[in-house]
Amino acid sequence: MNFKETLSEKTVQIEGILARFLPEEQGFQKRVIEAMNYSILAGGKRLRPMLMAETFRMFGGTGELVEPFMAAVEMVHNYSLVHDDLPAMDNDEYRRGRKTTHVVYGEGMAVLAGDGLLNYAFETACFAFEKAQSPAEYEKVAQAMRVLAGKAGIYGMIGGQCADIEAEEHQEEVTEELLLFIHEHKTAALIQCAMMIGAILAGADREQVDAVEKCAYNIGIAFQIQDDILDVTGSQEVLGKPVGSDEKNGKITYVTLYGLEKSAETVASLSKEAIQILTSFPERNLFLEQLVEQLINRKK
Amino acid sequence: MNFKETLSEKTVQIEGILARFLPEEQGFQKRVIEAMNYSILAGGKRLRPMLMAETFRMFGGTGELVEPFMAAVEMVHNYSLVHDDLPAMDNDEYRRGRKTTHVVYGEGMAVLAGDGLLNYAFETACFAFEKAQSPAEYEKVAQAMRVLAGKAGIYGMIGGQCADIEAEEHQEEVTEELLLFIHEHKTAALIQCAMMIGAILAGADREQVDAVEKCAYNIGIAFQIQDDILDVTGSQEVLGKPVGSDEKNGKITYVTLYGLEKSAETVASLSKEAIQILTSFPERNLFLEQLVEQLINRKK
């Protein structure tokens, strides 16, 4: 099988795991569950659970311990989309070609559905305690829980969202430091969360988990800068949005700060370092390396 | 010291514990943290952490293991208030005599602040793993985490909020079953959460935790029906809201379904049973019994 076929097969497997952890649409609370599932079943690349599963595999992890966390990180990602799309936030009516949750279920129910997904992420992660086979595994699950909460919260993704809202309101004050803070927290934090949890549950040691955190940081930042580059150089057809929309919106990006050439150099060096870290571990996972390469160097 | 003095002293202690667990207002995410703290420092009775601490004490619990969870349950309670007050939900501009979070910080930031509090509740609860002294305590913390997630989520509080929104949209279909579902989930679930976690962390056995769950159910339902009774019989001055506002709003309550007399009987019998359960455990906590009596039989 080539990379694309493997990717597609693994995505199907992840969809199956996700489906097993989604709540059943029944009871007097049926509607909020429908709204939650509507959001999470809208598709998407399932990138975070995939990075988690592949990092887990790279460190020799086997068995089901990682599965509740794969579902949990995807729930966290999706709740953030539901709340981001709200009229009070980005006010988006479409996502992935479907009407957004609040358009279909109403704003109040969309607020609740986002809350429900975030809460259910932790409820789902708790299932891993039942799968733990020893006190040592029990501790790993607790450590993974801490990473999940930390990277999703105010010192992770929510922190990045707050800074992003602030930056949009005070564009004249956006520095490289603030821009990197936003990318690190809004984009990279959940990638770090995914890969670190995969490593922890597979038994990686502290130093290895730190290296994975650094690797995932690079992947997240490079991914984001590549996004900004494509906004300038891509074709509208490939991107699915107007080229140059960032510049038009007066949005400060890495590209508007440093130009295309330096931005491309930064992506290349972050990417190179990320792959170097991945190849430094005792065992390699070629699929994971390809996945990271493809993510960062995508043309759309 | 009489009950009122003890209550006041214990409330001050809880405020101190809460303050220690609140995030510092700094960094690029400062504003969302300010909004979170604005909400949680608005006061309130701190009923849930108090019920948790007193149940913990009743079962012989000592030490700090319970403290992160006391802060966590109060964060969950407060996030639900922040999101409930949003224009998309109840659209309330004042709470406890202060402007609500979205009025002060804007709607987008209030959505984030609610998310931040819910997420930080789990982050805070995770600190208890660090305080655990043995594998057995570690397991208790994990069990408490499951109760926190379960009672706050779609099978707990969020489920009740969903049913409440649905009931308001379809008032003609409100049955006693649905009404009790809403009270059980929207009101009683977090009280169960608080008291069960107190019991679990102190080492109560399964049967005792089940009894505590039943006791807290009674407290929650009785509290809510008493609220509905006071809406009809209380004076506006004491209640702080217009008497009869439920009836005016066409709201179905236990009182509109069964009348004042049967409602008062139900409160009395639920309350009696709750106290019976509390007095059935090996050790008694007289303060907790008084607190429950006062909660249920309050005249305002």
Side-chain angles (χ1 to χ4, degrees):
Chain A
M1 271 198 296
N2 63 23
F3 173 75
K4 218 172 157 182
E5 285 163 354
T6 313
L7 181 70
S8 156
E9 193 177 272
K10 284 177 186 283
T11 309
V12 171
Q13 285 167 3
I14 292 173
E15 295 289 344
I17 292 170
L18 263 179
R20 275 196 286 117
F21 284 103
L22 291 184
E24 277 185 53
E25 296 172 2
Q26 59 186 22
F28 286 124
Q29 64 276 73
K30 189 179 170 189
R31 195 149 173 86
V32 70
I33 300 176
E34 285 172 353
M36 288 160 64
N37 290 349
Y38 174 82
S39 141
I40 209 160
L41 292 175
K45 295 185 291 289
R46 311 306 188 191
L47 183 62
R48 291 154 196 82
M50 191 171 294
L51 286 169
M52 188 186 291
E54 293 304 320
T55 309
F56 182 69
R57 213 157 61 81
M58 180 176 65
F59 284 104
T62 55
E64 296 176 355
L65 199 61
V66 74
E67 292 183 359
F69 282 98
M70 290 168 64
V73 76
E74 189 67 15
M75 288 173 194
V76 169
H77 174 57
N78 274 272
Y79 110 79
S80 78
L81 301 181
V82 173
H83 281 184
D84 263 356
D85 289 337
L86 285 170
M89 307 278 276
D90 291 348
N91 197 16
D92 281 320
E93 295 193 3
Y94 285 89
R95 176 176 291 278
R96 296 169 188 154
R98 296 165 91 209
K99 286 188 174 167
T100 46
T101 309
H102 66 272
V103 173
V104 178
Y105 291 91
E107 272 187 63
M109 205 51 84
V111 172
L112 272 191
D115 297 344
L117 280 169
L118 173 57
N119 192 99
Y120 207 64
F122 289 103
E123 212 166 339
T124 302
C126 279
F127 288 134
F129 283 116
E130 290 167 33
K131 293 182 188 284
Q133 308 283 335
S134 64
E137 277 202 352
Y138 221 80
E139 280 198 36
K140 282 177 205 161
V141 172
Q143 201 188 333
M145 189 80 79
R146 272 197 294 266
V147 170
L148 179 67
K151 291 295 181 185
I154 51 175
Y155 301 113
M157 188 183 69
I158 293 175
Q161 289 170 312
C162 170
D164 197 27
I165 291 179
E166 294 270 280
E168 273 180 32
E169 282 170 13
H170 310 280
Q171 294 209 352
E172 65 289 356
E173 294 163 26
V174 177
T175 58
E176 181 184 0
E177 191 192 358
L178 173 53
L179 198 63
L180 284 179
F181 179 93
I182 294 171
H183 293 346
E184 176 181 350
H185 292 80
K186 205 178 162 188
T187 308
L190 270 200
I191 293 174
Q192 293 178 311
C193 174
M195 295 182 70
M196 288 168 75
I197 289 176
I200 289 165
L201 294 179
D205 63 28
R206 178 64 175 268
E207 209 176 305
Q208 289 171 328
V209 174
D210 288 349
V212 164
E213 185 172 24
K214 170 73 179 127
C215 173
Y217 171 88
N218 281 19
I219 295 171
I221 303 287
F223 181 87
Q224 188 58 55
I225 298 177
Q226 184 68 6
D227 215 49
D228 299 336
I229 291 173
L230 291 174
D231 185 76
V232 179
T233 63
S235 74
Q236 178 165 343
E237 197 185 348
V238 181
L239 284 180
K241 65 175 184 178
V243 175
S245 63
D246 288 345
E247 197 183 354
K248 204 172 124 201
N249 296 333
K251 203 173 166 183
I252 309 289
T253 72
Y254 205 85
V255 176
T256 63
L257 281 180
Y258 296 102
L260 278 172
E261 198 176 338
K262 188 181 168 203
S263 298
E265 281 169 24
T266 307
V267 169
S269 98
L270 286 168
S271 164
K272 192 178 159 197
E273 198 187 11
I275 297 292
Q276 271 171 353
I277 295 172
L278 282 184
T279 55
S280 74
F281 298 121
E283 302 289 336
R284 289 179 65 171
N285 176 337
L286 296 180
F287 174 78
L288 177 58
E289 291 170 28
Q290 282 180 292
L291 179 64
V292 169
E293 291 268 16
Q294 193 226 33
L295 258 178
I296 296 179
N297 300 311
R298 74 199 188 286
K299 299 297 172 216
K300 59 175 180 174
Chain B
M1 271 198 297
N2 62 24
F3 173 75
K4 216 171 156 183
E5 285 164 353
T6 313
L7 181 70
S8 154
E9 193 178 90
K10 283 177 187 286
T11 309
V12 170
Q13 285 167 2
I14 291 172
E15 295 289 344
I17 291 170
L18 263 180
R20 276 196 286 117
F21 283 103
L22 292 183
E24 278 186 52
E25 297 172 3
Q26 59 186 22
F28 286 123
Q29 64 276 72
K30 187 178 170 190
R31 196 149 173 86
V32 70
I33 301 176
E34 285 173 353
M36 288 160 65
N37 290 349
Y38 173 84
S39 141
I40 209 159
L41 293 174
K45 295 185 291 289
R46 310 305 189 193
L47 183 63
R48 290 153 197 84
M50 191 172 294
L51 287 169
M52 189 186 292
E54 294 304 320
T55 309
F56 182 69
R57 214 156 61 80
M58 180 175 65
F59 284 104
T62 56
E64 297 176 357
L65 198 61
V66 74
E67 293 183 359
F69 282 98
M70 290 169 64
V73 76
E74 190 66 14
M75 288 174 195
V76 169
H77 174 56
N78 274 273
Y79 111 79
S80 78
L81 301 181
V82 173
H83 280 184
D84 263 355
D85 288 337
L86 285 170
M89 307 278 276
D90 291 348
N91 196 17
D92 281 320
E93 294 193 4
Y94 285 89
R95 176 176 290 278
R96 297 170 187 154
R98 296 166 92 209
K99 286 189 172 163
T100 44
T101 309
H102 67 271
V103 173
V104 177
Y105 292 91
E107 271 186 64
M109 205 50 84
V111 172
L112 272 190
D115 297 344
L117 281 169
L118 173 57
N119 192 99
Y120 206 63
F122 289 102
E123 213 166 337
T124 302
C126 279
F127 288 135
F129 283 115
E130 290 167 34
K131 294 182 188 284
Q133 308 283 334
S134 64
E137 278 203 351
Y138 221 81
E139 281 197 35
K140 282 177 203 161
V141 172
Q143 200 188 334
M145 190 80 78
R146 273 197 294 266
V147 170
L148 179 67
K151 291 294 181 185
I154 50 174
Y155 301 114
M157 188 182 68
I158 293 175
Q161 288 169 314
C162 170
D164 197 27
I165 291 179
E166 293 270 280
E168 273 180 33
E169 282 170 15
H170 311 279
Q171 295 209 351
E172 65 289 357
E173 294 164 25
V174 177
T175 58
E176 181 183 1
E177 191 193 358
L178 173 54
L179 199 64
L180 285 178
F181 179 93
I182 294 171
H183 292 347
E184 176 181 352
H185 292 80
K186 204 178 162 186
T187 307
L190 269 201
I191 293 175
Q192 293 177 312
C193 174
M195 294 181 71
M196 288 167 76
I197 288 176
I200 289 165
L201 294 179
D205 63 28
R206 177 65 177 267
E207 207 176 305
Q208 290 171 328
V209 174
D210 287 349
V212 164
E213 186 172 24
K214 169 74 180 124
C215 173
Y217 171 87
N218 281 19
I219 295 170
I221 303 286
F223 180 88
Q224 188 58 56
I225 297 177
Q226 184 68 7
D227 215 50
D228 299 337
I229 291 173
L230 291 173
D231 186 76
V232 178
T233 64
S235 74
Q236 178 166 344
E237 196 186 348
V238 181
L239 285 181
K241 65 175 184 177
V243 176
S245 63
D246 288 344
E247 196 183 357
K248 206 172 121 203
N249 296 333
K251 202 172 167 184
I252 309 289
T253 72
Y254 205 85
V255 176
T256 62
L257 281 180
Y258 296 102
L260 278 171
E261 198 175 337
K262 184 175 173 211
S263 299
E265 280 169 24
T266 306
V267 169
S269 99
L270 286 168
S271 163
K272 193 178 159 198
E273 198 188 11
I275 297 292
Q276 271 171 354
I277 295 173
L278 282 183
T279 56
S280 74
F281 298 121
E283 302 289 336
R284 290 180 63 171
N285 177 337
L286 295 179
F287 174 78
L288 177 58
E289 291 170 28
Q290 283 180 292
L291 179 65
V292 169
E293 290 268 17
Q294 194 226 30
L295 258 179
I296 295 179
N297 301 310
R298 74 200 188 286
K299 297 298 170 217
K300 60 175 179 175

